[in-house]
Amino acid sequence: EELVRMLKSIDPNFILLASIDSVKESIEWFNNNEHPDIIFMDIHLSDNICFDIFNNVEITTPVIFTTAYDQYAIEAFKTNGIAYLLKPIEEEELINALKKFRTLTNTSIELSSIHSHIQQLYQLQHLLEYVNYQLIRFFLEFQYLKDLLKFLIN
């Protein structure tokens, strides 16, 4: 297929996991396989339009829609659509869609990293609170012993 050729031309590391032409087969595949990093999906499949897939399977993967029809764009972006490419697909549009995907993916990774750092800061905060508590306790015990020693000396 032309899309696969273009993708391999743009990114030689591109790996096609499946090429499915029906809603029924797509639902079965998504229910039985780990979802890919990105999905390229035609709107019109052999047995219906692709939006029936989203009604039957939870898909959180970004989707780049490819179609000859422009009337489904709004519905596409109500799903996980990040790009809507009209056939015949122009290589520049495909490159831009892939750049958008990489930007979104990198942002997601950065947010995940920030979340991890926040969790570490919370753990440090709890540790510091514990150390502070122990220092106050030590200081009070020290003060008590100091007062007791003064009392005993006098």
Side-chain angles (χ1 to χ4, degrees):
E1 183 174 311
E2 181 65 14
L3 177 60
V4 174
R5 185 199 63 72
M6 290 172 70
L7 287 165
K8 288 187 178 192
S9 159
I10 294 167
D11 182 358
N13 295 321
F14 171 78
I15 299 171
L16 177 66
L17 297 181
S19 180
I20 306 167
D21 66 353
S22 76
V23 170
K24 183 180 177 186
E25 289 175 34
S26 297
I27 292 169
E28 184 178 323
W29 191 89
F30 283 117
N31 281 329
N32 294 312
N33 293 281
E34 185 176 330
H35 294 197
D37 296 332
I38 189 168
I39 299 168
F40 288 87
M41 189 174 290
D42 199 337
I43 300 286
H44 284 269
L45 300 176
S46 63
D47 55 353
N48 211 339
I49 59 172
C50 69
F51 301 113
D52 285 348
I53 299 167
F54 296 94
N55 295 330
N56 290 284
V57 180
E58 183 179 348
I59 296 177
T60 58
T61 302
V63 179
I64 294 176
F65 288 94
T66 61
T67 185
Y69 307 94
D70 62 359
Q71 72 259 31
Y72 299 104
I74 292 173
E75 194 167 350
F77 287 104
K78 288 180 181 177
T79 65
N80 286 24
I82 62 166
Y84 193 90
L85 306 178
L86 291 174
K87 295 178 182 177
I89 298 169
E90 294 181 22
E91 190 167 330
E92 175 126 358
E93 288 181 6
L94 180 58
I95 290 169
N96 289 336
L98 290 170
K99 283 180 185 176
K100 183 177 183 180
F101 165 71
R102 288 187 183 107
T103 300
L104 291 171
T105 303
N106 289 339
T107 301
S108 176
I109 291 169
E110 289 171 13
L111 288 174
S112 176
S113 176
I114 289 170
H115 182 265
S116 175
H117 288 307
I118 289 171
Q119 292 295 80
Q120 290 173 347
L121 288 172
Y122 279 130
Q123 289 173 350
L124 284 173
Q125 179 185 7
H126 290 298
L127 179 62
L128 287 172
E129 288 171 356
Y130 176 75
V131 168
N132 187 41
Y133 168 77
Q134 293 297 337
L135 285 172
I136 290 170
R137 200 172 134 219
F138 173 76
F139 175 77
L140 291 174
E141 286 180 22
F142 176 77
Q143 194 66 34
Y144 170 76
L145 290 174
K146 184 176 143 190
D147 290 345
L148 181 63
L149 189 58
K150 271 187 188 178
F151 177 76
L152 291 175
I153 291 177
N154 291 333

